[in-house]
Amino acid sequence: MTRIQQVLFELDGHYLGHPYAVTGNALYNALARRVDDETRRSLRVSHGVFVPGEYGEYPAAASQDGYAGKLGQSLPEIASYEDLFVFRDAAQRWLLESRPRDAHNVLAVQDHGGRLAVDDTCWFGRPPGQRNRRRSMSWYVQCYVHADRDGVLPVAEDVLDGISVGGARNYGFGRLTVADSQVVDLDALEYSRVRTAAERGDAFRIELMTPYVLATEYPGGDDQSIPWWWRVESGELRRRETRLADDGESYTVNTVDHGQVVRYVGDDPVATAKNGVTRVGTHSRFGFGEFRLRPACEDRVPERSGMEGDA
Amino acid sequence: MTDSTGAAGAGRDSVDGEGETDVAPMLAVYRHDVHKLFGRSHASARDRVHGVRVNETVPHGADRDAALLSRPRGDPEQTLDAYASPPRVSFLTGEVVMTGGLRAGGRDAAVRKLVRIEDAEAMHEAWLSADVPALVNESVYYPYTSLKYHTLLAAALLDNYRAGFAFDELFLVVEETDGSATPHRTVLSTPDIRLEVTAEPGDRPAARLGETPTRCFADVWARLPEYPFDVSVSRRWGVLDAQLRRIRSWSAALQFVAEYCHRFDPAGDAGRGGEHGGER
């Protein structure tokens, strides 16, 4: 049985950390000081994705249909593999068409003496003379934790609540308060879309949800090559250098950047799909190496169907 | 742009005919939405402005396809509460970007100069650096979109369609910033970033747009094999990259790049050694 615990935090105060996501490393370090040694050793933490606290509707691939109310302010029920990813794509496809969805999804950036911070609140509808029509929206962060032994999950709410992440966190920046939490058993989920496509002999693609580590300066982390079950069809995969901070030291980490798509050439799609949730490769315990497996006929942009492979 | 309900993704497959414009098509495409620069609807727009023919239908469905890159298909509806006016609203500030009217502050003269250009390549260059069209949205229902980048996208699509390419053959391409822009196909040009929409990427970093025009900027951007900037050099480039993975409307995204670079100067920030630390 592989269980994960999804956690939705509300961002409370400006955030001065990693711009793509609150890294698993940041969340891990914030949690590690609140738990015992054994839990600390077994805990694995994903990246935290920024989610707007806004109205939405379930994406086409999700097991629930239609209007979802303020979807971004709580965790949607998880019945299928696809449900795990409702909040994991930065483009947040569930945002309502009838509202300014891109404006809801762009992080509100504040300049703090030359350093750009993400605001925890975003204001809308303030044309001149319309002050009373102002409306605010709060930002949330969704992550999930799992453990390599029983008895760790669920992590108690008072352990999760009030952690701080990112720069200037000792000055009230990047405080996260728990909005919702739920435990999901990966083995009990519905994988029918993946299974059906596999039975039809369809091709699959892998979408990198977080960077995949190729080389690291961090002690104990091995360099690794691109997995054999990825097929890069044309061109190069974009690389990105990032840093891993630990105990006051900063280590350079070279990665395959997230957001890219490769063809899957392995032979066990359902098992691979599950592995993508618990992540693969070096530093997977800190959020690196998360991916989504998707039948090649299903475009990440549903309105753009039947796209030829160019990964 | 009045119709976004028709079949899309056509390109050369739905040839609306060539030579249906009074002036050369590659001039007419830059003038097709000039009525919006005067805050008028297409229906009440004039056919001539400052003595030149404007508001002509763009051939090959390029206007419709460009619109579908930035706003939804079907009947438009007001998306921002209590706001339905031509001045654009900024993602960066949440504010309306224009104060005064469309004719204030020399804007009228700037528009006159812009629409009167008679050389198509000079017209493209002028639009790449034009300020006034960036103050206006492409639809009052979608106030974060940008008339400037809608027009440049329509021109890029039209130029590709006229060369015989279909929409599904197009790429977003990262161009070098030294040298000159590619006529009609460069859709964004700042001192540090130049992007092109073309069916002829060559060996430059490129990502496919997909089968049909839809709001997919975030996805195309995320799949580029190389970025025009180095996110490890300046955190400000990283913040921009992170934002571009969140924006689906093409004209709004391109406008955001221009506005963000103007305000935060990420390249200058990199020159100062960037900003690192506290990022774990």
Side-chain angles (χ1 to χ4, degrees):
Chain A
M1 189 171 78
T2 310
R3 298 198 307 164
I4 64 169
Q5 179 183 3
Q6 294 184 322
V7 184
L8 186 70
F9 292 103
E10 184 169 359
L11 181 59
D12 177 16
H14 292 184
Y15 166 77
L16 246 177
H18 205 280
Y20 300 96
V22 179
T23 65
N25 187 45
L27 291 163
Y28 175 86
N29 279 290
L31 291 174
R33 70 190 60 161
R34 294 177 165 209
V35 297
D36 59 53
D37 283 350
E38 208 170 2
T39 301
R40 191 177 305 130
R41 277 195 298 273
S42 62
L43 203 58
R44 276 96 178 96
V45 186
S46 80
H47 279 23
V49 177
F50 294 106
V51 178
E54 243 291 315
Y55 294 94
E57 59 189 2
Y58 294 103
S63 55
Q64 287 173 277
D65 277 341
Y67 180 66
K70 284 212 166 183
L71 184 56
Q73 297 186 357
S74 61
L75 291 166
E77 195 182 310
I78 307 294
S80 71
Y81 170 66
E82 289 75 19
D83 293 338
L84 294 171
F85 297 97
V86 172
F87 288 159
R88 300 299 289 170
D89 181 347
Q92 303 297 357
R93 284 169 210 295
W94 49 270
L95 285 163
L96 286 188
E97 190 100 290
S98 57
R99 297 164 75 84
R101 62 182 197 179
D102 279 343
H104 287 138
N105 199 32
V106 172
L107 298 165
V109 172
Q110 295 284 330
D111 193 340
H112 278 270
R115 301 202 63 198
L116 301 186
V118 172
D119 203 338
D120 59 345
T121 310
C122 189
W123 294 92
F124 287 93
R126 42 178 168 179
Q130 297 274 0
R131 289 191 70 83
N132 295 333
R133 305 299 290 264
R134 272 165 58 119
R135 165 171 79 77
S136 69
M137 186 202 80
S138 301
W139 279 97
Y140 292 75
V141 173
Q142 191 252 18
C143 71
Y144 56 96
V145 299
H146 67 283
D148 64 358
R149 65 176 181 87
D150 293 339
V152 173
L153 299 189
V155 177
E157 192 165 312
D158 61 348
V159 172
L160 299 165
D161 199 49
I163 58 172
S164 294
V165 290
R169 55 192 176 278
N170 297 330
Y171 301 91
F173 279 59
R175 191 163 178 277
L176 301 175
T177 56
V178 175
D180 201 357
S181 168
Q182 66 184 5
V183 173
V184 176
D185 178 1
L186 294 184
D187 297 325
L189 294 182
E190 184 66 64
Y191 293 87
S192 59
R193 292 172 89 99
V194 174
R195 226 180 281 279
T196 307
E199 282 162 8
R200 282 200 307 257
D202 290 356
F204 288 92
R205 293 216 178 88
I206 287 169
E207 294 175 11
L208 299 182
M209 311 307 284
T210 63
Y212 176 83
V213 176
L214 294 173
T216 178
E217 289 181 346
Y218 187 68
D222 293 330
D223 292 357
Q224 50 193 5
S225 51
I226 289 172
W228 65 267
W229 39 278
W230 298 11
R231 178 70 46 80
V232 185
E233 283 181 335
S234 64
E236 294 282 314
L237 282 175
R238 194 177 62 244
R239 308 288 173 92
R240 176 156 61 85
E241 188 181 294
T242 185
R243 280 165 196 76
L244 192 68
D246 184 53
D247 218 9
E249 294 288 324
S250 176
Y251 303 94
T252 300
V253 178
N254 289 303
T255 69
V256 175
D257 200 2
H258 68 291
Q260 297 167 104
V261 180
V262 297
R263 193 171 278 268
Y264 172 64
V265 292
D267 53 11
D268 192 351
V270 173
T272 303
K274 284 182 199 172
N275 288 342
V277 179
T278 52
R279 300 180 296 277
V280 297
T282 295
H283 303 332
S284 59
R285 67 179 302 164
F286 305 125
F288 291 94
E290 177 185 339
F291 64 86
R292 175 178 183 170
L293 190 77
R294 206 198 284 265
C297 58
E298 293 178 15
D299 197 293
R300 181 163 54 177
V301 186
E303 303 87 350
R304 191 181 62 173
S305 57
M307 202 172 88
E308 288 300 306
D310 62 317
Chain B
M1 179 67 207
T2 52
D3 175 25
S4 61
T5 57
R12 68 180 173 199
D13 297 331
S14 77
V15 174
D16 297 340
E18 190 64 77
E20 287 184 4
T21 48
D22 289 353
V23 297
M26 291 318 301
L27 275 174
V29 66
Y30 294 101
R31 296 172 180 163
H32 82 274
D33 267 343
V34 162
H35 56 282
K36 292 177 182 172
L37 291 175
F38 297 97
R40 289 169 185 268
S41 71
H42 191 79
S44 65
R46 287 171 296 167
D47 284 346
R48 302 190 82 81
V49 167
H50 299 305
V52 298
R53 178 79 169 92
V54 297
N55 306 336
E56 292 189 88
T57 302
V58 178
H60 300 289
D63 178 23
R64 173 198 57 214
D65 289 356
L68 287 170
L69 287 173
S70 303
R71 34 191 166 114
R73 179 187 298 272
D75 291 332
E77 52 184 324
Q78 187 174 321
T79 51
L80 183 60
D81 294 345
Y83 192 76
S85 311
R88 186 173 61 81
V89 182
S90 165
F91 279 153
L92 211 53
T93 63
E95 306 283 352
V96 177
V97 295
M98 181 165 61
T99 51
L102 280 157
R103 292 176 186 275
R107 288 174 193 145
D108 202 28
V111 170
R112 186 189 313 132
K113 201 172 161 196
L114 192 60
V115 300
R116 279 181 168 175
I117 297 170
E118 290 297 340
D119 175 79
E121 290 187 15
M123 180 73 111
H124 172 246
E125 285 279 353
W127 271 83
L128 278 177
S129 58
D131 294 326
V132 179
L135 301 174
V136 182
N137 55 52
E138 55 175 280
S139 161
V140 297
Y141 302 104
Y142 305 100
Y144 297 89
T145 57
S146 165
L147 183 63
K148 171 175 175 171
Y149 292 100
H150 164 70
T151 302
L152 286 162
L153 287 164
L157 295 184
L158 179 60
D159 190 60
N160 280 287
Y161 295 166
R162 294 182 82 222
F165 298 110
F167 184 86
D168 63 7
E169 296 176 87
L170 300 180
F171 295 81
L172 176 68
V173 171
V174 177
E175 287 186 88
E176 298 287 343
T177 49
D178 48 2
S180 52
T182 307
H184 306 304
R185 295 189 182 178
T186 298
V187 293
L188 171 84
S189 184
T190 75
D192 306 303
I193 303 172
R194 191 175 286 164
L195 298 175
E196 179 179 337
V197 170
T198 181
E200 299 164 299
D203 54 5
R204 299 171 297 173
R208 273 190 189 280
L209 267 53
E211 288 279 296
T212 56
T214 187
R215 287 162 296 160
C216 59
F217 184 85
D219 303 271
V220 177
W221 174 263
R223 293 182 72 169
L224 278 172
E226 200 179 303
Y227 280 152
F229 44 72
D230 185 351
V231 295
S232 68
V233 170
S234 162
R235 183 169 170 276
R236 292 185 180 196
W237 285 132
V239 172
L240 175 62
D241 176 25
Q243 301 277 43
L244 294 179
R245 296 164 187 241
R246 314 183 72 89
I247 304 173
R248 286 176 285 179
S249 165
W250 276 73
S251 77
L254 296 175
Q255 182 67 62
F256 182 80
V257 175
E259 205 175 336
Y260 181 94
C261 291
H262 180 73
R263 178 159 165 205
F264 291 125
D265 187 21
D269 184 61
R272 292 194 299 271
E275 38 173 322
H276 289 305
E279 264 202 47
R280 66 189 198 177

